[in-house]
Amino acid sequence: MTSTNEKQQTLIVNPLKDLNVIKALASEPRIKMLELLRHKRLNINEIAEAMNQPQSTVATNASILEDAGLIVSEAAKAKKGNQKICSPAFNEILIKFPEDEDVEKDFVKIEMPLGLFTDYSVTAPCGLCSREKIIGMLDLPDSFLNPERMKAGLLWCTSGYFEYKFPNNTLSDPREVKKLELMMELSSETPGTNSNWPSDITVWINRTEIATWTCPGDYGDHRGKFTPEWWKLEGSQYGLLKHFSVTEEGSFIDGVKVSDVTLKDLDMRNHHSIRVKVGVKDNARYMGGMNIFGKGFGNYDQGIVMQIYF
């Protein structure tokens, strides 16, 4: 069955089992309907007008999406009778094949707090904050040296990087590594927020460039699930949870191959730690900044998570 998380509002679709969801998504008009609803709750008449389609066609597609659990609707009073108000059920929809059962059981998970970076270089606007307050001074790169950075739940910068050293558990385990995966909640960064603000965010492992993901925007249309109340609504509220992985076949973002860098290129057996760097290059095509969300911020309440599968 489809895996959901009420707090994270993410739908993970298993294409081997969730055929009703796959079929509901296999329609350009229904995809456009989901895109419309992503920005604003609408009734059937408003959707029909925006898409220039008959009301009956829109109503049918809305029912299909609702049956698949992709949208929710509620009745509201209209000038004449009732109207059906539609809204999306999830912020994100991920289609992912399940891991082999044996692989799922044999893994090591390490969660790194955002503030435990071992190296950094950032350009302003930049800053960091804990669940309780802003740490140091805004737009001052030296604030990232403040000892209170250990409590950081949100880091942001216009360009630059943060590097972390994870313990290398492969050195004490004779088993062969099948996959290394990183999970982190990311968005671009602009003064205020802008959902259409692309930024090229790059990930390196052991100083080897793995992949670059173009983040669509800086999200602030509503408060993040874990973002504290004191944090201004005009600021970045949440990001998208991205999965960066490396296997014997190459490197992947959310299960889609993006480069030919393999586990062999990481040479993990010859490193005492596993270095992970995430940043925006000075020469990136889209230099739209970066937010990294950690504990107490965004939609996922986690630091940077590494999983090593044997």
Coordinates of all heavy atoms in Angstrom, one line a residue, residues 213-272:
W213 N 21.4 19.1 -8.0 CA 20.0 19.2 -8.1 C 19.5 20.6 -8.2 O 20.0 21.5 -7.4 CB 19.3 18.5 -6.8 CG 17.9 18.7 -6.7 CD1 16.9 18.3 -7.6 CD2 17.2 19.4 -5.7 NE1 15.7 18.7 -7.1 CE2 15.8 19.4 -6.0 CE3 17.6 20.1 -4.5 CZ2 14.8 20.0 -5.1 CZ3 16.7 20.6 -3.7 CH2 15.3 20.6 -4.0
T214 N 18.7 20.9 -9.2 CA 18.1 22.2 -9.3 C 16.9 22.4 -8.5 O 15.8 21.8 -8.9 CB 17.9 22.6 -10.8 OG1 19.1 22.5 -11.5 CG2 17.3 24.0 -10.9
C215 N 17.0 23.0 -7.4 CA 15.8 23.2 -6.5 C 14.9 24.3 -7.1 O 15.3 25.3 -7.6 CB 16.3 23.8 -5.1 SG 14.9 24.1 -4.0
P216 N 13.6 24.0 -7.2 CA 12.7 24.9 -7.9 C 12.5 26.3 -7.2 O 12.3 27.3 -7.8 CB 11.3 24.1 -7.9 CG 11.7 22.7 -7.6 CD 12.9 22.8 -6.8
G217 N 12.5 26.3 -5.8 CA 12.3 27.6 -5.2 C 12.5 27.6 -3.7 O 13.0 26.6 -3.1
D218 N 12.2 28.7 -3.1 CA 12.3 29.0 -1.7 C 10.9 29.0 -1.1 O 10.1 29.9 -1.5 CB 13.0 30.3 -1.5 CG 13.3 30.6 0.0 OD1 12.9 29.8 0.9 OD2 13.8 31.7 0.3
Y219 N 10.5 28.1 -0.3 CA 9.1 27.9 0.0 C 8.6 28.6 1.3 O 9.2 28.4 2.4 CB 8.8 26.4 0.1 CG 9.1 25.7 -1.1 CD1 10.3 24.9 -1.2 CD2 8.4 25.8 -2.3 CE1 10.6 24.2 -2.4 CE2 8.7 25.2 -3.5 CZ 9.8 24.4 -3.5 OH 10.2 23.8 -4.7
G220 N 7.6 29.4 1.2 CA 7.0 30.1 2.3 C 5.5 30.4 2.2 O 5.0 31.3 2.9
D221 N 4.8 29.5 1.5 CA 3.4 29.7 1.3 C 2.6 29.3 2.6 O 1.5 29.8 2.8 CB 2.9 28.9 0.1 CG 3.2 27.4 0.2 OD1 4.3 27.1 0.6 OD2 2.4 26.6 -0.1
H222 N 3.3 28.5 3.4 CA 2.7 28.2 4.7 C 3.8 27.8 5.7 O 4.9 27.5 5.2 CB 1.6 27.1 4.6 CG 2.2 25.8 4.1 ND1 2.1 25.4 2.8 CD2 2.8 24.8 4.8 CE1 2.7 24.3 2.6 NE2 3.1 23.8 3.8
R223 N 3.5 27.8 7.0 CA 4.5 27.5 8.0 C 4.9 26.0 7.9 O 4.1 25.2 7.7 CB 4.0 27.8 9.4 CG 5.1 27.7 10.5 CD 4.6 28.2 11.8 NE 4.3 29.6 11.8 CZ 5.2 30.6 11.9 NH1 6.5 30.3 11.9 NH2 4.8 31.8 11.9
G224 N 6.2 25.7 8.0 CA 6.6 24.4 8.0 C 6.1 23.6 9.2 O 5.7 24.2 10.2
K225 N 5.9 22.3 9.1 CA 5.3 21.5 10.1 C 6.0 21.7 11.5 O 5.4 21.6 12.5 CB 5.3 20.0 9.7 CG 4.5 19.7 8.5 CD 3.0 20.0 8.7 CE 2.2 19.7 7.5 NZ 0.8 20.0 7.6
F226 N 7.3 21.8 11.4 CA 8.1 21.9 12.7 C 8.7 23.3 12.9 O 9.3 23.5 13.9 CB 9.2 20.9 12.7 CG 8.6 19.5 12.7 CD1 8.5 18.8 11.5 CD2 8.2 18.8 13.8 CE1 8.0 17.5 11.4 CE2 7.6 17.5 13.8 CZ 7.6 16.9 12.6
T227 N 8.5 24.2 12.0 CA 9.1 25.5 12.1 C 8.5 26.3 13.3 O 7.2 26.3 13.4 CB 8.9 26.3 10.8 OG1 9.5 25.6 9.7 CG2 9.5 27.7 10.9
P228 N 9.3 26.8 14.2 CA 8.7 27.4 15.4 C 7.9 28.7 15.1 O 8.1 29.4 14.1 CB 10.0 27.8 16.2 CG 11.1 27.8 15.2 CD 10.8 26.8 14.1
E229 N 7.0 29.0 16.0 CA 6.1 30.1 15.8 C 6.8 31.5 15.7 O 6.4 32.4 15.1 CB 5.1 30.2 16.9 CG 4.1 29.0 16.9 CD 3.2 29.1 15.6 OE1 2.8 30.2 15.2 OE2 2.8 28.0 15.1
W230 N 8.0 31.6 16.4 CA 8.7 32.9 16.4 C 9.3 33.2 15.1 O 9.5 34.4 14.8 CB 9.7 32.9 17.5 CG 10.9 32.0 17.3 CD1 11.1 30.7 17.8 CD2 12.1 32.3 16.5 NE1 12.3 30.2 17.4 CE2 12.9 31.2 16.6 CE3 12.5 33.4 15.8 CZ2 14.1 31.1 16.0 CZ3 13.8 33.3 15.2 CH2 14.6 32.2 15.3
W231 N 9.5 32.2 14.3 CA 10.2 32.5 13.0 C 9.2 33.2 12.0 O 8.1 32.7 11.8 CB 10.7 31.1 12.4 CG 11.4 31.3 11.1 CD1 10.9 30.9 9.8 CD2 12.7 31.8 10.8 NE1 11.9 31.1 8.9 CE2 13.0 31.7 9.5 CE3 13.6 32.4 11.7 CZ2 14.1 32.2 8.9 CZ3 14.8 32.9 11.1 CH2 15.1 32.7 9.7
K232 N 9.6 34.3 11.5 CA 8.7 35.1 10.7 C 8.1 34.4 9.5 O 8.9 33.6 8.8 CB 9.4 36.4 10.3 CG 10.6 36.2 9.4 CD 11.3 37.5 9.1 CE 12.5 37.3 8.1 NZ 13.5 36.4 8.6
L233 N 6.9 34.6 9.2 CA 6.3 33.9 8.0 C 6.9 34.4 6.7 O 6.7 33.7 5.7 CB 4.8 34.2 8.0 CG 3.9 33.4 9.0 CD1 2.5 33.8 9.1 CD2 4.0 31.9 8.7
E234 N 7.5 35.5 6.7 CA 8.2 36.0 5.5 C 9.4 35.2 5.1 O 10.0 35.4 4.1 CB 8.5 37.5 5.6 CG 7.3 38.4 5.7 CD 6.7 38.4 7.1 OE1 7.3 37.9 8.0 OE2 5.5 39.0 7.2
G235 N 9.9 34.4 6.1 CA 11.1 33.7 5.9 C 10.9 32.3 5.3 O 9.8 31.8 5.3
S236 N 12.0 31.6 5.0 CA 11.9 30.3 4.4 C 11.2 29.3 5.5 O 11.7 29.3 6.6 CB 13.2 29.7 4.0 OG 13.9 30.7 3.2
Q237 N 10.2 28.6 5.0 CA 9.4 27.8 6.0 C 9.7 26.3 5.9 O 9.7 25.6 6.9 CB 7.9 28.0 5.7 CG 7.5 29.4 6.0 CD 7.6 29.7 7.5 OE1 7.3 28.9 8.4 NE2 8.1 30.9 7.8
Y238 N 10.0 25.8 4.7 CA 10.3 24.3 4.6 C 11.0 24.1 3.2 O 11.1 25.0 2.4 CB 8.9 23.5 4.6 CG 8.0 23.9 3.5 CD1 8.0 23.1 2.3 CD2 7.1 24.9 3.6 CE1 7.1 23.4 1.2 CE2 6.2 25.2 2.5 CZ 6.3 24.5 1.4 OH 5.4 24.8 0.3
G239 N 11.4 22.9 3.1 CA 12.1 22.5 1.8 C 11.5 21.2 1.3 O 10.5 20.7 1.7
L240 N 12.2 20.6 0.4 CA 11.9 19.3 -0.2 C 12.9 18.3 0.3 O 14.1 18.5 0.4 CB 11.9 19.3 -1.7 CG 10.9 20.3 -2.3 CD1 11.1 20.3 -3.9 CD2 9.5 20.1 -1.9
L241 N 12.4 17.1 0.7 CA 13.3 16.0 1.2 C 13.9 15.3 0.0 O 13.2 14.7 -0.8 CB 12.6 15.0 2.1 CG 13.4 14.0 2.8 CD1 14.4 14.6 3.8 CD2 12.6 12.9 3.4
K242 N 15.2 15.4 -0.2 CA 15.9 14.9 -1.3 C 16.8 13.7 -0.9 O 17.4 13.7 0.2 CB 16.8 15.9 -2.0 CG 16.1 17.2 -2.4 CD 14.8 16.9 -3.3 CE 15.2 16.3 -4.6 NZ 13.9 16.0 -5.4
H243 N 16.8 12.7 -1.8 CA 17.6 11.4 -1.5 C 18.7 11.4 -2.6 O 18.4 11.3 -3.8 CB 16.7 10.2 -1.7 CG 15.6 10.1 -0.6 ND1 14.5 10.9 -0.6 CD2 15.5 9.2 0.4 CE1 13.7 10.6 0.4 NE2 14.3 9.6 1.0
F244 N 19.9 11.5 -2.1 CA 21.1 11.4 -3.0 C 21.7 10.0 -2.7 O 22.0 9.7 -1.5 CB 22.1 12.5 -2.7 CG 21.6 13.9 -2.9 CD1 20.9 14.6 -1.9 CD2 21.7 14.5 -4.2 CE1 20.4 15.8 -2.1 CE2 21.3 15.8 -4.4 CZ 20.6 16.5 -3.4
S245 N 21.9 9.2 -3.6 CA 22.5 7.8 -3.4 C 23.5 7.5 -4.4 O 23.5 8.0 -5.6 CB 21.4 6.8 -3.4 OG 20.7 6.8 -4.6
V246 N 24.5 6.6 -4.0 CA 25.5 6.1 -4.8 C 25.6 4.6 -4.7 O 25.5 4.1 -3.6 CB 26.9 6.7 -4.4 CG1 28.0 6.3 -5.4 CG2 26.9 8.2 -4.3
T247 N 25.6 3.9 -5.9 CA 25.6 2.5 -5.9 C 26.8 2.0 -6.8 O 27.6 2.9 -7.3 CB 24.3 1.9 -6.4 OG1 24.2 2.2 -7.8 CG2 23.1 2.5 -5.7
E248 N 26.8 0.7 -7.1 CA 27.8 0.2 -8.0 C 27.5 0.6 -9.5 O 28.3 0.5 -10.3 CB 27.8 -1.3 -7.9 CG 28.3 -1.8 -6.6 CD 28.0 -3.3 -6.4 OE1 27.0 -3.8 -7.0 OE2 28.8 -4.0 -5.7
E249 N 26.3 1.1 -9.7 CA 25.8 1.5 -11.1 C 26.0 3.0 -11.4 O 26.0 3.4 -12.5 CB 24.4 1.1 -11.3 CG 24.2 -0.4 -11.5 CD 24.3 -1.2 -10.2 OE1 23.7 -0.7 -9.2 OE2 24.9 -2.3 -10.2
G250 N 26.0 3.8 -10.3 CA 26.1 5.2 -10.5 C 25.5 6.0 -9.4 O 25.3 5.5 -8.3
S251 N 25.3 7.3 -9.6 CA 24.7 8.2 -8.6 C 23.3 8.6 -9.0 O 23.0 8.8 -10.1 CB 25.6 9.4 -8.4 OG 26.8 9.1 -7.9
F252 N 22.4 8.7 -8.0 CA 21.0 8.9 -8.2 C 20.4 10.0 -7.3 O 20.9 10.3 -6.2 CB 20.2 7.6 -7.9 CG 20.7 6.4 -8.7 CD1 21.8 5.8 -8.4 CD2 19.9 6.0 -9.8 CE1 22.3 4.7 -9.1 CE2 20.3 4.9 -10.5 CZ 21.5 4.2 -10.2
I253 N 19.4 10.7 -7.8 CA 18.6 11.7 -7.0 C 17.2 11.1 -7.0 O 16.6 11.0 -8.1 CB 18.7 13.1 -7.5 CG1 20.1 13.6 -7.5 CG2 17.8 14.0 -6.7 CD1 20.3 15.0 -8.1
D254 N 16.7 10.8 -5.9 CA 15.3 10.3 -5.7 C 15.1 9.1 -6.7 O 14.1 8.9 -7.3 CB 14.3 11.3 -6.0 CG 14.3 12.4 -5.0 OD1 14.7 12.2 -3.8 OD2 13.8 13.6 -5.3
G255 N 16.1 8.2 -6.8 CA 16.0 7.0 -7.6 C 16.3 7.2 -9.1 O 16.3 6.2 -9.8
V256 N 16.5 8.4 -9.5 CA 16.8 8.7 -11.0 C 18.3 8.9 -11.2 O 18.9 9.7 -10.5 CB 16.0 9.9 -11.5 CG1 16.4 10.2 -12.9 CG2 14.6 9.7 -11.3
K257 N 18.9 8.1 -12.1 CA 20.4 8.2 -12.3 C 20.7 9.6 -12.8 O 20.1 10.0 -13.8 CB 20.8 7.1 -13.2 CG 22.4 7.0 -13.3 CD 22.8 5.9 -14.1 CE 24.4 5.8 -14.2 NZ 24.8 4.7 -15.0
V258 N 21.7 10.2 -12.2 CA 22.1 11.6 -12.7 C 23.6 11.6 -13.0 O 24.1 12.6 -13.6 CB 21.8 12.6 -11.6 CG1 20.3 12.8 -11.5 CG2 22.4 12.3 -10.3
S259 N 24.4 10.6 -12.6 CA 25.9 10.7 -13.0 C 26.4 9.2 -12.9 O 25.8 8.3 -12.4 CB 26.6 11.6 -12.0 OG 27.0 10.9 -10.8
D260 N 27.6 9.1 -13.4 CA 28.3 7.8 -13.5 C 29.2 7.6 -12.3 O 30.0 6.6 -12.3 CB 29.1 7.6 -14.8 CG 28.1 7.5 -16.0 OD1 27.1 6.9 -15.9 OD2 28.5 8.1 -17.1
V261 N 29.2 8.4 -11.3 CA 30.1 8.3 -10.1 C 29.5 7.1 -9.3 O 28.4 7.0 -9.0 CB 30.0 9.5 -9.3 CG1 30.8 9.3 -8.0 CG2 30.6 10.7 -10.0
T262 N 30.4 6.1 -9.0 CA 30.0 4.9 -8.3 C 30.7 4.8 -7.0 O 31.5 5.6 -6.6 CB 30.4 3.6 -9.2 OG1 31.9 3.6 -9.2 CG2 29.9 3.7 -10.6
L263 N 30.3 3.8 -6.2 CA 30.9 3.5 -4.9 C 32.4 3.4 -5.0 O 33.2 3.8 -4.1 CB 30.3 2.3 -4.3 CG 28.9 2.4 -3.8 CD1 28.3 1.0 -3.4 CD2 28.8 3.3 -2.6
K264 N 32.9 2.8 -6.1 CA 34.3 2.6 -6.3 C 35.0 4.0 -6.3 O 36.1 4.1 -5.7 CB 34.6 1.9 -7.5 CG 36.1 1.6 -7.8 CD 36.3 0.8 -9.1 CE 37.8 0.5 -9.3 NZ 38.0 -0.3 -10.6
D265 N 34.4 5.0 -6.9 CA 35.0 6.3 -7.0 C 35.1 7.0 -5.6 O 36.0 7.9 -5.4 CB 34.2 7.2 -7.9 CG 34.2 6.7 -9.3 OD1 35.2 6.3 -9.8 OD2 33.1 6.7 -9.9
L266 N 34.3 6.5 -4.6 CA 34.4 7.2 -3.3 C 35.5 6.6 -2.4 O 35.9 7.2 -1.4 CB 33.0 6.9 -2.6 CG 31.8 7.5 -3.3 CD1 30.6 7.3 -2.4 CD2 31.9 8.9 -3.7
D267 N 36.0 5.4 -2.8 CA 37.2 4.8 -2.1 C 37.0 4.8 -0.6 O 37.9 5.3 0.1 CB 38.4 5.6 -2.5 CG 39.7 4.9 -2.2 OD1 39.7 3.6 -2.0 OD2 40.8 5.5 -2.0
M268 N 35.9 4.4 -0.1 CA 35.5 4.5 1.3 C 36.5 3.7 2.2 O 36.7 4.1 3.4 CB 34.1 4.1 1.5 CG 33.1 5.1 1.0 SD 31.4 4.8 1.6 CE 31.0 3.3 0.7
R269 N 37.0 2.6 1.7 CA 37.9 1.8 2.6 C 39.2 2.5 2.9 O 39.9 2.1 3.8 CB 38.2 0.4 1.9 CG 36.9 -0.4 1.7 CD 36.4 -1.0 3.0 NE 35.2 -1.9 2.7 CZ 34.5 -2.4 3.7 NH1 34.8 -2.2 5.0 NH2 33.5 -3.2 3.4
N270 N 39.5 3.5 2.2 CA 40.8 4.2 2.4 C 40.6 5.6 3.1 O 41.5 6.5 3.0 CB 41.6 4.4 1.1 CG 42.1 3.0 0.6 OD1 42.6 2.2 1.4 ND2 42.0 2.8 -0.6
H271 N 39.4 5.8 3.7 CA 39.1 7.1 4.3 C 38.7 6.8 5.8 O 37.8 5.9 6.0 CB 38.0 7.9 3.6 CG 38.5 8.5 2.3 ND1 38.6 7.8 1.1 CD2 38.9 9.8 2.0 CE1 39.0 8.6 0.2 NE2 39.2 9.8 0.7
H272 N 39.2 7.5 6.7 CA 38.8 7.3 8.1 C 37.4 7.8 8.4 O 36.7 7.4 9.3 CB 39.8 8.0 9.1 CG 41.2 7.4 9.1 ND1 41.4 6.1 9.5 CD2 42.4 7.8 8.6 CE1 42.7 5.8 9.4 NE2 43.3 6.8 8.8

